[in-house]
């Protein structure tokens, strides 16, 4: 689950100052007032939020497990259901690259980090993620998804 997006959705519900919120509060706010999620997806969202410990159930009500006061929700905030429930979006790119290195059996995470740091020591204009992509590529590990994601995040394309 995309916890950042989930926190924003919970903060929208929590704008109504109360001790706790019912399922209908979530459905009314997220489905009918804000038109962000269909009611059946709100039910799934509540269950996923409980599993992720973003909300807790107390006396039949749902209470945010974090301070909602500091959560900023833009006026044009929208939700992509696939992105909301995506596991991959939650893990940082570098963590997924290290997992790919380890899963390949060609190097451990620690070896990949050491090689990337060695590469960085002689370079001035590349970041750690780019160095890691190079290390993985040199080891013969498929990096196409990482390169595409890095290009999308940086705003550069070829």
């Amino acid at each position: 689950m995309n916890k950042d997006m989930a926190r924003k959705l919970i903060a929208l519900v929590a704008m109504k100052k109360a001790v706790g919120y019912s399922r209908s509060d979530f459905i009314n706010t997220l489905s009918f007032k804000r038109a962000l999620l269909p009611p059946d997806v709100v039910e799934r969202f509540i269950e996923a939020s409980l599993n992720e410990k973003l909300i807790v159930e107390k006396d039949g009500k749902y209470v945010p497990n974090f301070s909602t006061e500091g959560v900023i929700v833009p006026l044009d905030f929208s939700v992509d259901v696939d992105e909301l429930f995506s596991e991959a979006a939650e893990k940082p790119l570098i963590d997924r690259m290290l997992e790919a290195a380890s899963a390949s059996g060609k190097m451990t995470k620690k070896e990949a980090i050491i090689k990337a740091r060695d590469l960085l020591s002689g370079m001035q204009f590349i970041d750690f993620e780019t160095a890691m992509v190079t290390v993985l590529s040199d080891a013969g590990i498929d990096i196409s998804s990482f390169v595409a994601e890095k290009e999308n995040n940086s705003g550069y394309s070829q």
Side-chain angles (χ1 to χ4, degrees), residues 15-63:
M15 286 175 64
K16 180 181 99 173
K17 300 296 180 195
V19 174
Y21 308 95
S22 65
R23 283 187 182 270
S24 63
D25 289 331
F26 276 87
I27 292 170
N28 287 337
T29 301
L30 301 179
S31 294
F32 302 123
K33 289 181 183 174
R34 300 288 181 146
L36 292 169
L37 296 171
D40 59 323
V41 175
V42 173
E43 294 283 341
R44 181 177 166 203
F45 170 70
I46 291 170
E47 295 306 317
S49 295
L50 284 167
N51 290 338
E52 293 286 334
K53 307 279 190 253
L54 292 172
I55 57 176
V56 293
E57 191 171 0
K58 290 184 181 174
D59 301 324
K61 299 278 187 174
Y62 301 106
V63 180

Side-chain angles (χ1 to χ4, degrees), residues 104-120:
S104 73
K106 296 179 180 179
M107 67 179 77
T108 65
K109 291 179 182 181
K110 186 175 181 177
E111 290 170 337
I113 291 170
I114 291 169
K115 288 181 181 185
R117 284 187 180 152
D118 288 346
L119 181 63
L120 275 176

Side-chain angles (χ1 to χ4, degrees), residues 8 63 132-133 156:
K8 289 177 182 173
V63 180
M132 185 60 67
V133 165
Y156 297 110

